[in-house]
């Protein structure tokens, strides 16, 4: 069964460093998402991406974050200058190919990011 | 205020017992998702409900949507230790929002 994959599973970085989290969505999906979950807290929406551009973003998704679909399979989240409070589990999800909004989102296993 | 309120926050049941988890939205619901998350892991899709009154089931897990009350309930029949985890409801407003989750423990 097709699934969303994410790499790396764990990442430890120093504050101020840049990190890139990678996701391979399900191959025929057209909508892509990033979420984060700070330990013990809710899953929070960061950004959605469709047709090579951001369609929605939350207030969390500030200028230090960016997303890219560099090729036909990968979807990346870059954090430019990590802060301690960026430590969280980051989930990628994908949905489609039907109309956006109510298609089921399938989640990857997550990347646990720890900023020291 | 929270857009999606889940109750209870945690639940401990004896194996074999039935249980219900509720999710209430403060906004109009156009679709409601249920996911299961094992601690520290990803979200596993359980089911999606779109129409008022819709009820779906998969094995021993069922869910229904009350559009008027903007509520959904997830019901597990004859719970097993494998049902343990965190159950999250999610709803799409402009983007997907999740409830805080219900932590389920099933005692053998």
């Amino acid at each position: 069964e097709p699934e969303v994959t994410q790499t790396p599973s764990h990442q430890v970085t120093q504050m101020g460093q840049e990190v890139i989290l990678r996701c391979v969505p399900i191959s025929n999906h057209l909508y892509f998402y990033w979420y984060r979950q700070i330990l013990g807290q809710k899953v929070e929406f960061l950004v959605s991406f469709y047709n090579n551009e951001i369609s929605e973003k939350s207030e969390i998704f500030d200028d230090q974050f960016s997303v890219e679909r560099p090729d036909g399979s990968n979807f990346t989240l870059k954090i430019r200058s990590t802060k301690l409070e960026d430590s969280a589990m980051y989930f990628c999800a994908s949905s489609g190919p039907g109309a956006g909004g109510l298609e089921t989102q399938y989640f990857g296993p997550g990347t646990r990011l720890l900023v020291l | 205020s929270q857009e999606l309120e889940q109750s209870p926050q945690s639940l401990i049941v004896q194996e074999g017992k039935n249980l219900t988890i509720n999710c209430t939205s403060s906004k109009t619901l156009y679709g409601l998702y249920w996911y299961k998350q094992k601690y520290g892991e990803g979200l596993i899709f359980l089911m999606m409900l779109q129409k008022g009154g819709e009820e779906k089931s998969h094995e021993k897990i069922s869910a229904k949507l009350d559009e008027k009350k903007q509520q959904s309930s997830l019901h597990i029949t004859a719970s097993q230790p494998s049902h343990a985890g965190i159950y999250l409801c999610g709803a799409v407003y402009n983007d997907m929002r999740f409830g805080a989750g219900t932590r389920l423990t099933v005692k053998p």
Side-chain angles (χ1 to χ4, degrees), chain A residues 98-114:
Chain A
L102 290 181
E103 286 287 334
T104 299
Q105 294 182 26
Y106 292 91
F107 282 74
T111 293
R112 187 174 293 284
L113 176 66
L114 178 60

Side-chain angles (χ1 to χ4, degrees), chain B residues 4 7 14-15 20 42 50 54 61 69 77 86 89-90 98 100 108:
Chain B
L4 283 172
S7 62
Q14 203 67 41
E15 183 176 357
T20 299
Q50 279 187 252
E54 186 174 17
I61 302 177
K69 292 184 183 175
T77 305
I86 300 168
C89 64
F98 286 93

